[in-house]
Every structure is written in structure tokens, then in C-alpha cells.
Amino acid sequence: MIDITEARSYVLARCPAAVPVDVPCREATGLVLAAAVVAAENVPPFANSAVDGYAVVAASVAAAPVELPVVGEVAAGAHTDRVLQPGEAIRIMTGAPVPAGADAVVMVEDTELLGDRRVDGGVRVRVRRSVAVGVAVRRVGDDVRAGAALYPAGTFVTPAVAGVLASVNAAVVSVVPRARVAVLSTGDELIDDGSPLQPGQIRESNRTMLLGAVRDAGCDAIDLGIVRDDETVLERVLRDAAATCDAIVTSGGVSMGDYDVVKAVLSQIADMRWMQIAIKPAKPFAFGLLATGPDGAARHVPVFGLPGNPVSSLVSFELLARPALRQMMGHTVIDRPLVAAIADDGLPRRHDGKTHYVRVFAAFAADGRVHVRSVGAQGSHQLAATSQANAIAVVPDGDGVPAGGDVATMLLSLGATS
Ligand code: AMP
Ligand code: MG
């Protein structure tokens, strides 16, 4: 058996980040910037009003209440060439450029309009409160300064980041593309067509689970279905997948059974390492590179051979495939958050030379700490119990964790409360 850290280093060393591509900023959300972005423009590009109200010279309203003539109006998207003089007001809307000469805006709620333009030829405004210089004026560049280093390479593009990119006219950005990941299941016992189960058959579940896990990791998932335990068919499916995808995830057929065709085929066509990892569940795991394309210009497509038992499949995806796929997509944070949690009920175990990954439910308690409880059944075929987990407690070899003891815990979905 090898250590999980050795298995992980082996995998990560063979899954470099993909070659960057240019995409419109509207399509960059969920991807990682491959190049730094420098702001080409100021945001806001001009001083503008934060409120609907009246642009004034602050000194002119220092003795409020005061009355001022309203000498003009400026709406968002318009501008005025009128230079505001002390003792005057210009009606202004949110987002409109502050006229030259003005140094503050009085919000409309603090004013009262006097007179009628049609009758009086002009109107006046009573300002009830004074304002300090700069009040309600958004200054040029007070969000983003032109020339500023906005985002370094490696930045994960959230919706807000994408919005900022649009605001500085970074209309096209260089990103690491989303990996296209093929997912297939193997096994003659598997069906997914809804028909009545024949003796020995089970419903296929790993593929459905792994397609979701792949998408959850930020990748595009390509469903290659169930492949029978037939070497010729499997070889064709794998070669086609390598030609069209960036990574392949298989489940089943990587352990010691007689019909482990994944092992038989991949041993022939790919540069594989068959591992027995000192973890429970998910001891058997295979990883390798499948060459595709012409000699000399071949691409080497990572293949993750996950075990067939559903819980093992999920745990090895979490520990090995997910970090690798995220690295391929340029993420600098490739792992789930790991916290020191409190094991409320204790997590007993026996010495067996393995690290145990115990599926738990984690929640914040009144003490501000994360507390975990086992979800119950921990068998590698018992996916229903594991589906109740939102975290995985990492219990090192030994006697386990006593009730109230600390346990390192990977959070799968932080914030869930039930
Ligand atoms: P294997 O790794 O192929 O020997 O499979 C180990 C166990 O996982 C067996 O009980 C299989 O029936 C089960 N299994 C394999 N693949 C799947 C799958 N895609 N969905 C559900 N169970 C599976
Ligand atoms: Mg099988």
C-alpha cells in the first residue's frame, strides 16, 4: 500500500493546467484568469451623483435652510456645460455627471421645490440641511483606478469579478478553459434503462453521481454511458474519449477481480499506475495517461480509474480526481476546506495501517466550532448513508477519535444546516 500523499503527488504531477484561451468576460464566470488584468479605465469614469437631488456649492448651503435658484437639470446619460456658480443649484439624478463648479449634492429628501416654472419662468429650491464638500459625489476612479493591477493570474472569476471586468472594458480575457471530462461505468451487472432487474443485475449509480461531481468541480461532463465488460468495446470507447476530451473518469474494474476489464485494457493502451492506497474506503485506484493524436504531437489525457463500490468511487474522486481536475483548470485552491472539527460522538476504529475517511454531518454549533457526527453506515456500498454527509472526517490510523476530540474534517458543502 502507498500513502495517500504519494498517490496525490503522482496524480498532480501529471495534470498540468491547460493552455489558456480568450473568452468574452460574460463567459468567464467559474473559470480562472490565465493572465493578470490591468484596469484600462477609471470606474466611475467621471464624478457623478450618488442620489437624486441638487448639485450645489457646499458653502452656499452652510447656513441652511436657504433658497437657491434652480438653473438647470442633468439626468443620467446626459451632461451640462453650465458651470454652477455659488448660490445656484442644478437638479441632478443618480449617476448623472456632477456639473463643473459643484462640490456636493443635496438629496431631494432634504429639499423643497418652490414656484412653478410655467408661471414664474424659473424655480427655486429650499435646502433644509447643509452638506459637507464631497457629500453624495462619487469621485472619478474611487472604485477602480485606471492603470491599477486589478486581478493577478490565478484569480477565480466570480460573478462580481466578471462584472468588474465588464466595468473596465476588459471585454475579452485570457482564462484556463473548463476541462471536458468523460465519465463511464463498466460492469456486466449494471443496467440503467429502468427495466426489471434480472438475477445478478443492479441499477447503475456511479455514473449519475460522478457526472454531478465532475460538474460540481467546475468541469463539463460528457456521459459515455455503461460499457460492458468487453475489452474491444472498452478500448474503442476509451480511445474515442481521449480524442475528444481532456480527462476520463471510469468506475469499476480496477481491483483484483477476474473480469476487471478496465485494468486489462488500460494496461495495454495507457501508461498506468495501479495503486493500493492506505485509505478506507477507496483502496484500489488507478491513474495514468492515455496518448492520443499523431506521434510527436500527441496529447496525454489523464485517466482516473475509480473503484466500483459507489462510496469508494466518490471518496477517491474527492481525494484524487477533483484536485487534479481543478489544477488542470488553473485553480490555485484545489482542495476542499479542511477544518479542525469536534467529534461529538467519537469516531472509534481499529489499527489497520490505513487512514479512514469517515462520512459525517458537520454543522456550526453555538461555540463557533464545527461539530461532526457520523452519518451511520460506513460500508463502501452504502451510498444512501453517505448521501447524508456534508463532510468527511479524516481519522488517522490508531484507536480513533474520542467523543469531544478534534478531528480534521474536509467540508464538502459549507453552510448546509440540515
Ligand atoms: P468492481 O470495482 O467493478 O469490482 O465493482 C465493485 C462493486 O461496485 C461491485 O459490487 C459492483 O457491482 C459495484 N459497481 C461497479 N460499478 C458500479 C456502478 N457504476 N454503479 C453501481 N455500482 C457499481
Ligand atoms: Mg466490475
Side-chain angles (χ1 to χ4, degrees):
M1 287 195 298
I2 62 168
D3 198 78
I4 182 70
T5 51
E6 184 186 339
R8 188 183 141 97
S9 313
Y10 185 87
V11 169
L12 291 179
R14 287 160 183 77
C15 293
V19 176
V21 294
D22 286 348
V23 297
C25 66
R26 262 180 294 286
E27 288 164 30
T29 299
L31 301 175
V32 173
L33 294 179
V37 175
V38 173
E41 298 179 356
N42 281 311
V43 182
F46 51 86
N48 68 94
S49 179
V51 296
D52 295 321
Y54 293 88
V56 297
V57 177
S60 305
V61 298
V66 296
E67 285 183 23
L68 306 176
V70 179
V71 299
E73 180 181 284
V74 54
H79 78 284
T80 176
D81 293 330
R82 181 82 155 72
V83 178
L84 187 96
Q85 303 300 319
E88 295 177 343
I90 288 180
R91 176 93 172 109
I92 190 167
M93 312 307 158
T94 304
V98 173
D103 61 14
V105 177
V106 181
M107 68 164 101
V108 72
E109 291 85 341
D110 290 336
T111 67
E112 189 184 333
L113 198 56
L114 307 172
D116 182 322
R117 195 187 304 275
R118 285 159 304 180
V119 179
D120 307 337
V123 290
R124 299 174 67 75
V125 63
R126 175 177 294 130
V127 174
R128 287 195 289 261
R129 288 170 63 163
S130 62
V131 286
V133 171
V135 165
V137 176
R138 300 164 172 164
R139 283 170 293 116
V140 175
D142 79 354
D143 187 13
V144 179
R145 276 250 157 255
L150 199 50
Y151 299 117
T155 299
F156 178 66
V157 182
T158 62
V161 169
V164 172
L165 293 172
S167 78
V168 297
N169 198 29
V172 173
V173 287
S174 176
V175 295
V176 186
R178 192 169 268 122
R180 279 170 56 84
V181 181
V183 178
L184 63 98
S185 283
T186 62
D188 280 346
E189 73 279 30
L190 307 174
I191 63 164
D192 66 352
D193 61 1
S195 59
L197 291 171
Q198 301 302 314
Q201 288 186 330
I202 61 167
R203 310 250 179 233
E204 198 285 328
S205 59
N206 290 357
R207 197 171 102 248
T208 299
M209 171 180 76
L210 292 169
L211 286 165
V214 161
R215 278 187 212 109
D216 182 63
C219 313
D220 285 334
I222 314 296
D223 183 4
L224 298 187
I226 301 171
V227 182
R228 299 285 146 220
D229 289 331
D230 174 315
E231 294 188 20
T232 314
V233 176
L234 183 61
E235 176 172 347
R236 184 175 47 70
V237 171
L238 288 169
R239 287 198 188 279
D240 287 354
T244 55
C245 295
D246 303 309
I248 301 172
V249 174
T250 70
S251 88
V254 294
S255 46
M256 305 297 194
D258 286 344
Y259 298 92
D260 286 345
V261 293
V262 175
K263 190 163 191 171
V265 172
L266 281 174
S267 299
Q268 298 284 324
I269 67 172
D271 176 15
M272 297 297 294
R273 181 164 172 190
W274 304 90
M275 307 182 199
Q276 297 290 318
I277 308 175
I279 59 174
K280 184 181 176 184
K283 184 169 71 133
F285 173 75
F287 175 81
L289 298 174
L290 177 50
T292 186
D295 283 353
R299 286 190 310 124
H300 294 89
V301 177
V303 182
F304 300 89
L306 310 183
N309 279 307
V311 175
S312 304
S313 231
L314 186 64
V315 170
S316 54
F317 182 87
E318 278 294 333
L319 298 183
L320 296 155
R322 188 177 193 277
L325 293 172
R326 287 175 62 81
Q327 181 171 278
M328 289 169 66
M329 293 188 296
H331 288 270
T332 48
V333 177
I334 59 174
D335 292 313
R336 302 282 198 183
L338 191 68
V339 298
I342 296 172
D344 279 348
D345 295 336
L347 300 167
R349 53 159 294 175
R350 279 198 252 279
H351 287 261
D352 61 4
K354 298 178 191 168
T355 302
H356 289 196
Y357 289 83
V358 180
R359 280 78 66 208
V360 294
F361 183 76
F364 281 103
D367 60 2
R369 297 283 309 273
V370 175
H371 289 240
V372 297
R373 282 205 156 89
S374 167
V375 293
Q378 296 284 333
S380 63
H381 62 296
Q382 291 169 308
L383 187 59
T386 283
S387 75
Q388 303 293 325
N390 63 356
I392 301 178
V394 186
V395 182
D397 195 20
D399 298 325
V401 181
D406 274 11
V407 63
T409 299
M410 288 171 52
L411 300 177
L412 305 179
S413 57
L414 187 61
T417 55
S418 61

